[in-house]
Amino acid sequence: MKSYMIRISGLLLCFFLAMSGSSMAQNRDTSTVKKVRFTPEQRADKMSDKLDRRLNLSKQQDKDIHTINTDITQRMEAIKRNTTLSKKDKMAQMKALNEERNQRFKSVLSADQYKKWNDWEMKKKEQMEARMDKKQQKRNAR
């Protein structure tokens, strides 16, 4: 009778471990789900909200910045989706749009706000370049 109980408890333990292992595997599978892509308008909203918080924009500045961001993100999306352009041409057009955004921001923001925004952008650019360098080093090490 005692050995029978030990066998049953052993089977229950194996069953429990098997079930918990499969549920953990299912949890890992959900972590590989694709990222949600935001629409250009949603990206413009997020960018504008962040700028408003960081730069303490006036209501008019907030409205103007949102208009600029919406226009630029929509045009960038059109460039990304344009299959007739080469990668080099896409990059050149994106760079031109970023320059246009800079100029338009300069006309809306105060000198202090523009400097703060520009410093923030430069810091983001440096961080991105550092990540890209790190990825390249990993590829070269293989």
Side-chain angles (χ1 to χ4, degrees):
M1 181 79 154
K2 207 175 199 182
S3 65
Y4 179 71
M5 295 291 273
I6 292 173
R7 284 186 197 153
I8 289 177
S9 62
L11 286 172
L12 287 173
L13 180 62
C14 287
F15 177 75
F16 174 74
L17 289 174
M19 292 306 289
S20 65
S22 69
S23 70
M24 287 185 345
Q26 287 174 352
N27 287 344
R28 263 186 251 125
D29 290 342
T30 60
S31 66
T32 59
V33 175
K34 274 187 162 182
K35 287 184 180 179
V36 175
R37 296 296 255 168
F38 293 108
T39 65
E41 292 79 13
Q42 290 170 322
R43 285 195 304 276
D45 287 345
K46 286 181 69 153
M47 290 165 51
S48 299
D49 289 346
K50 197 177 281 189
L51 284 172
D52 186 27
R53 285 192 312 273
R54 287 183 179 245
L55 302 177
N56 299 318
L57 302 176
S58 70
K59 287 185 189 264
Q60 186 60 49
Q61 284 177 315
D62 185 38
K63 182 181 174 190
D64 294 344
I65 291 293
H66 189 270
T67 300
I68 294 167
N69 281 332
T70 301
D71 177 48
I72 297 292
T73 55
Q74 287 173 341
R75 291 167 54 199
M76 281 190 172
E77 187 68 24
I79 292 168
K80 287 179 188 176
R81 293 181 187 274
N82 187 341
T83 57
T84 62
L85 293 173
S86 69
K87 192 172 185 177
K88 186 177 179 180
D89 289 339
K90 286 182 182 185
M91 293 300 285
Q93 288 185 19
M94 296 263 201
K95 186 176 181 179
L97 281 178
N98 279 323
E99 288 299 317
E100 180 183 330
R101 181 194 323 258
N102 290 351
Q103 292 306 309
R104 290 172 70 182
F105 274 11
K106 199 178 252 188
S107 69
V108 172
L109 300 174
S110 69
D112 189 45
Q113 288 172 321
Y114 183 80
K115 182 184 180 332
K116 191 173 181 181
W117 172 77
N118 198 35
D119 291 347
W120 177 41
E121 285 294 305
M122 291 309 219
K123 184 178 177 184
K124 286 190 329 187
K125 185 177 180 180
E126 288 170 6
Q127 289 170 342
M128 183 179 66
E129 288 173 352
R131 283 193 308 267
M132 289 173 65
D133 288 344
K134 191 174 181 180
K135 281 183 182 179
Q136 189 63 39
Q137 289 172 356
K138 281 184 180 180
R139 284 188 198 120
N140 292 340
R142 292 182 196 171

